[in-house]
Amino acid sequence: MSQSFSHINSHGDAHMVDVSNKPITMREARAESFVLMNTETINMIIEGKHYKGDVFATARIAGIQAAKKTWELIPLCHPLLLSKIEVNIDADLVNQRVRIESICRLNGQTGVEMEAMVASSVAALTIYDMCKAVQKDMVITQVRLLNKTGGKSGDFRANN
């Protein structure tokens, strides 16, 4: 099946898609990322003993701010008036990792998948930045879209 790319015009040049004729619909996207780290590092964060302060609160704010600035970071993304940005962070001691899940929502003419993935990514980078003095070999992994609703392409849900 042949599929055209919406961000390429008839001359083969990259351009921002014109969404002015698209209907306004509710759109939502959820994304996740993980930061793999030692149990000692996770415990330091959970117990509030990190000398830089509340790592999760700082990462949450960073993710929210990043979602708002996605259009400045990713070429051809539209500036969006997001009505909801949520960043949830959970420590998983069994798997020695921190899971970050972001949710972005708006009533608009284009999707919020990139905003959700940027939020999760920047929250993970912030955790790394705040903890790198304690552990340099942390790994940020599995940044992915979990699901999205709304828009012409319909709904999407990742397989586990």
Side-chain angles (χ1 to χ4, degrees):
M1 177 170 123
S2 176
Q3 184 176 7
S4 63
F5 293 104
S6 61
H7 288 79
I8 305 296
N9 68 15
S10 61
H11 302 292
D13 301 323
H15 75 285
M16 191 164 152
V17 175
D18 181 0
V19 297
S20 58
N21 290 324
K22 292 173 92 177
I24 293 173
T25 60
M26 197 282 285
R27 296 153 184 268
E28 181 176 284
R30 287 184 22 220
E32 73 179 353
S33 62
F34 293 91
V35 183
L36 310 179
M37 62 181 69
N38 295 333
T39 302
E40 296 80 18
T41 307
I42 295 173
N43 284 331
M44 181 186 302
I45 296 168
I46 293 170
E47 294 168 6
K49 295 180 179 175
H50 196 288
Y51 70 95
K52 287 190 175 183
D54 190 334
V55 174
F56 289 173
T58 304
R60 192 173 296 108
I61 292 167
I64 290 168
Q65 286 298 103
K68 293 191 237 179
K69 294 188 168 280
T70 298
W71 68 278
E72 294 176 328
L73 300 169
I74 308 292
L76 311 179
C77 279
H78 293 83
L80 302 179
L81 292 173
L82 297 166
S83 56
K84 177 185 177 86
I85 307 168
E86 184 176 324
V87 177
N88 298 302
I89 303 173
D90 296 301
D92 178 355
L93 290 168
V94 172
N95 294 302
Q96 292 184 278
R97 65 186 185 180
V98 172
R99 180 178 182 266
I100 301 134
E101 181 179 346
S102 63
I103 303 163
C104 292
R105 183 183 306 143
L106 61 60
N107 288 313
Q109 296 166 299
T110 189
V112 292
E113 297 92 332
M114 294 309 302
E115 287 72 13
M117 290 197 297
V118 166
S120 291
S121 299
V122 170
L125 287 165
T126 301
I127 291 169
Y128 184 93
D129 181 52
M130 290 187 75
C131 296
K132 68 184 181 231
V134 175
Q135 181 185 349
K136 289 189 180 8
D137 64 347
M138 292 174 288
V139 176
I140 296 171
T141 185
Q142 196 171 314
V143 177
R144 68 177 183 146
L145 181 67
L146 294 171
N147 63 50
K148 73 105 178 163
T149 59
K152 186 172 89 173
S153 67
D155 295 349
F156 165 81
R157 180 169 301 283
N159 298 325
N160 287 339

